[in-house]
Amino acid sequence: MAQQETDEQINDGYVVDTEDCEARELAHRERGTSRPITVVGNPVLHRECKDVTEFDEKLAQLIDDMFASQRTAEGVGLAANQIGVDLKVFVYDCMDDEGVRHVGHVVNPVLQDLPADRRVLDDSNEGCLSVPTAYASLARPDFAEVHGKDMHGNPIKVRGTGYFARCLQHETDHLYGFLYIDKLSKRDRKDALRQMAEGTPRYPVVPND
């Protein structure tokens, strides 16, 4: 497969991920193959993933497959370990609170610490494709910035507010071995797992042995 062009424009290191969203997402998805989603209890979800060191056609294909899998599951973000791949990569197709669509990917993401004056918490509901049919309120900062690389190894930065900020934090957490339910109280975690046990996923999942 020929090397793909860089998905997003770069502006002062920040990805411009709000332009041509439909065409870019569709191109990834049409090249990709949808894979089933791993669920809580699968070991790959509960350990830090490996850094990506090869920026090659295999990585490009993984990103395509992740976009296809994300669409099948009707998600707004997907980490590589959610389709069983032990690498630090996530993709997203997410609206912010102003209704602006963001589409892109980040390789080897690192969530940046926020100064105290930027830590305004939002306690909206959160869900996860790897904890299907369950939701819980979780306080997270309403602004997030992630530094990483694109599929070609170029340094990039992604920032978001509101729901998109929650997505960036949620997906980065995945790649370091944390699910959102790990941040809940024991009672709320138990309730989320109960919701999952009582529900039926609307997309293919990998059964845990």
Side-chain angles (χ1 to χ4, degrees):
M1 186 172 77
Q3 186 180 45
Q4 301 162 17
E5 295 178 358
T6 301
D7 274 354
E8 305 87 3
Q9 302 175 35
I10 306 296
N11 184 6
D12 295 329
Y14 290 97
V15 166
V16 180
D17 58 6
T18 57
E19 298 179 357
D20 302 318
C21 289
E22 186 69 24
R24 291 189 292 106
E25 190 275 340
L26 179 62
H28 280 299
R29 181 159 43 93
E30 288 187 333
R31 291 189 300 259
T33 300
S34 182
R35 307 191 201 178
I37 304 298
T38 56
V39 296
V40 58
N42 189 307
V44 75
L45 294 173
H46 302 284
R47 61 174 183 259
E48 181 175 345
C49 293
K50 297 174 183 176
D51 288 339
V52 172
T53 58
E54 299 292 333
F55 295 83
D56 54 13
E57 293 182 356
K58 289 183 179 179
L59 176 62
Q61 186 61 57
L62 171 62
I63 290 170
D64 290 341
D65 289 354
M66 290 172 67
F67 272 103
S69 304
Q70 175 177 251
R71 176 54 69 97
T72 297
E74 301 178 9
V76 298
L78 186 74
N81 53 357
Q82 291 185 274
I83 57 169
V85 179
D86 185 15
L87 288 174
K88 286 181 181 167
V89 187
F90 73 76
V91 302
Y92 58 88
D93 182 356
C94 186
M95 297 284 191
D96 61 26
D97 284 0
E98 285 70 48
V100 177
R101 185 180 180 184
H102 300 258
V103 171
H105 69 276
V106 186
V107 179
N108 297 339
V110 177
L111 188 66
Q112 302 302 294
D113 291 332
L114 295 179
D117 62 346
R118 297 302 302 270
R119 290 187 61 83
V120 179
L121 295 180
D122 169 23
D123 61 355
S124 296
N125 259 14
E126 191 162 326
C128 179
L129 298 178
S130 292
V131 193
T133 74
Y135 296 90
S137 175
L138 177 63
R140 289 190 188 268
D142 69 354
F143 175 84
E145 182 170 314
V146 172
H147 294 186
K149 295 184 177 182
D150 68 11
M151 67 172 67
H152 308 300
N154 302 312
I156 58 171
K157 296 182 281 188
V158 182
R159 55 188 171 187
T161 59
Y163 188 58
F164 183 41
R166 181 175 295 273
C167 176
L168 293 174
Q169 295 169 80
H170 180 112
E171 302 308 329
T172 302
D173 280 350
H174 265 304
L175 300 175
Y176 289 86
F178 298 104
L179 300 172
Y180 85 99
I181 60 171
D182 296 330
K183 298 177 179 289
L184 300 175
S185 68
K186 289 183 179 179
R187 175 184 295 178
D188 289 345
R189 177 187 170 91
K190 183 177 180 180
D191 182 64
L193 293 174
R194 177 192 58 77
Q195 292 178 55
M196 175 180 165
E198 293 176 354
T200 301
R202 62 183 184 273
Y203 43 83
V205 299
V206 179
N208 292 329
D209 294 333

